[in-house]
Amino acid sequence: MKVAISSTGNNSESRLDKRFGRCAFFVIYDTDTKGTEYLPNPNIELEEDAGQASVKLLSERNVRMIISGEFGINIKSMLDSMKIRMIVLKHPDRTIGEIIEMLKK
Amino acid sequence: MSPRPVRLRKISNPPLVSGFKPYGTMKGTPVADIVFLHIEEYEALRLCDFEMLNHHQASVIMDVSRPTLTRIYARARQKIAQALVRGSQIIIEGGKIYFDSEWYTCEACGCYFNDPEKKEAVRSCPLCKSSSVAPWDEEAVRQDEFIGQCNDFCVCTVCRHEASHTPGIPCKEEKCPRCGGQMVRKGTPHSKKF
């Protein structure tokens, strides 16, 4: 299963990005192959609907779970129809490495 | 004057398939029109006939009024009957709907997560795998209570004793377990005469 994490940077030391649609990077972690991929978010500059564009980007990569600090109001309904699970982490000081370690357990 | 806008219907479980096709059509029969079953009609049918809820309970889950739910349900049955009789294809799509799922919280790692699949009850946190998870949404808890209030009751005409209604047995055929008097359905205009 592929898990997407919103990240502020492109290495495992960077912290979780509080925003979903306009986060700096998406980390795509595959729980089966244990591989990670850092994807620069092309939607940072968008004036509107950055969240929807990000959902589209991630759903094309068959992501089944998204971890972020917060999601916009339109996102939940979209993700529910695609059966993608959302996880809201209210601890912005967690690093990407720590979150991936939690997923590995 | 334009009509009042349609209230969005809440869909908790999207259908697994996007339609049904007839098979074994006889040669020479004309191909019937496609029946478009709306997702809200599918959901009403699922709640009423699969989950065996009454219309009142189903209407609370879909976040519409009870009469609206009954109309959606009637339309669903009519369309399915049409498809069965004429041998037409059913396509499930469209409707004024939004999808929703419930939130859970994990006490161990402090995260919030939802469960769009709903195949089985949530037992462990998807992040830290601990089992200390609880439903978070207060509104969902309140909704459960409200569904409880929509349950049907039989009430005794003599001693006003209330018993939960058994589906399939008319209330007037039930006898009061306390005094043996005749029961009627609670809340109906008829029951207020006594």
Side-chain angles (χ1 to χ4, degrees), chain A residues 11-31:
Chain A
N11 55 59
S12 62
E13 291 302 305
S14 37
R15 300 192 186 285
L16 182 81
D17 202 322
K18 271 183 277 185
R19 301 156 305 165
F20 165 66
R22 290 188 178 81
C23 68
F25 285 86
F26 283 116
V27 185
I28 297 181
Y29 171 69
D30 195 322
T31 50

Side-chain angles (χ1 to χ4, degrees), chain A residues 7-75:
Chain A
S7 163
T8 49
N10 62 351
N11 55 59
S12 62
E13 291 302 305
S14 37
R15 300 192 186 285
L16 182 81
D17 202 322
K18 271 183 277 185
R19 301 156 305 165
F20 165 66
R22 290 188 178 81
C23 68
F25 285 86
F26 283 116
V27 185
I28 297 181
Y29 171 69
D30 195 322
T31 50
D32 302 323
T33 62
K34 313 274 181 217
T36 49
E37 183 187 357
Y38 291 87
L39 200 70
N41 187 356
N43 309 316
I44 305 176
E45 300 295 322
L46 285 184
E47 296 221 337
E48 54 181 16
D49 296 339
Q52 291 181 23
S54 300
V55 167
K56 199 159 166 274
L57 177 86
L58 295 176
S59 67
E60 277 166 4
R61 287 172 177 265
N62 287 325
V63 165
R64 305 307 310 155
M65 197 154 95
I66 299 173
I67 304 175
S68 184
E70 215 171 302
F71 293 90
I73 43 165
N74 297 324
I75 302 304

Side-chain angles (χ1 to χ4, degrees), chain B residues 62-83:
Chain B
M62 283 184 72
D63 201 16
V64 290
S65 75
R66 206 279 308 145
T68 304
L69 187 275
T70 303
R71 279 193 300 273
I72 298 172
Y73 176 69
R75 225 162 29 229
R77 291 188 79 142
Q78 207 219 333
K79 281 184 180 176
I80 286 173
Q82 219 169 42

